[in-house]
Amino acid sequence: MQHKLLSMFFSCFCMLCLFCFTDLASNCSASAAKQTSAEANPTAPHITSGVSSMSFDQRQALKLINNDRKEKGLAPLQFNPQLSKLAESYAKDMIKRDFFSHVNPEGQSPFERMNEQKIVYNYAGENLAFNESVYAAQQAFMHSPEHKANILNANYTQVGLGIVEASRGRIFVVQEFIDG
């Protein structure tokens, strides 16, 4: 796994493996998924209920994201525990099964994984990074137009953060974005 990751690491923009995937309701089944999810789960989790259980890395990532948004006059994103659980699970899955992609080996996109967890959204996006720290990942995201567009998307109001340590001090960072 280490050799595959290092190969990917050195072959990508800014020597990082970063990808961006954004979905609008008009491009996917997100609009229909919202209706189905709302019917199946009429009470969405309170988005601030998990703030006290955030890890140090999650708190740091949220602060960095919201500082970048504040500089552009945007409202801060709220931490969403359900979305964070999905993000962390996906980071662990990529490590365990030795892949790095927005689409898992079964062919599920981020939006299909969100729908499966009954996460309600009209707009959604995902950023992935493999880096040495939360700070370095955020800096790389902000130097990539596609990732920066997700972070600074005014439609997004909530974020899920999955930050999982891989080998040799590297981390996988998964940022999941949705509107509220």
Side-chain angles (χ1 to χ4, degrees), residues 132-152:
E132 61 192 34
S133 69
V134 170
Y135 180 80
Q138 184 65 20
Q139 292 303 304
F141 284 146
M142 292 305 289
H143 285 93
S144 163
E146 294 84 6
H147 298 94
K148 184 176 182 177
N150 265 346
I151 292 166
L152 300 179

Side-chain angles (χ1 to χ4, degrees), residues 39-83:
E39 291 168 358
N41 186 10
T43 58
H46 191 274
I47 58 175
T48 58
S49 63
V51 171
S52 63
S53 64
M54 289 173 64
S55 71
F56 173 82
D57 286 338
Q58 287 173 320
R59 282 192 294 277
Q60 181 185 20
L62 184 62
K63 182 178 179 180
L64 292 169
I65 289 167
N66 283 334
N67 284 345
D68 288 333
R69 288 176 62 87
K70 183 179 179 179
E71 287 178 11
K72 299 298 182 185
L74 297 168
L77 296 177
Q78 299 297 313
F79 178 78
N80 182 312
Q82 182 185 13
L83 205 54

Side-chain angles (χ1 to χ4, degrees), residues 2 4 20 23 30 37 85 88 91 107 112 114 132 146 150:
Q2 186 65 25
K4 284 183 185 178
C20 175
D23 177 43
S37 296
K85 184 177 176 182
E88 183 175 329
E112 290 166 318
M114 288 179 197
E132 61 192 34
E146 294 84 6
N150 265 346

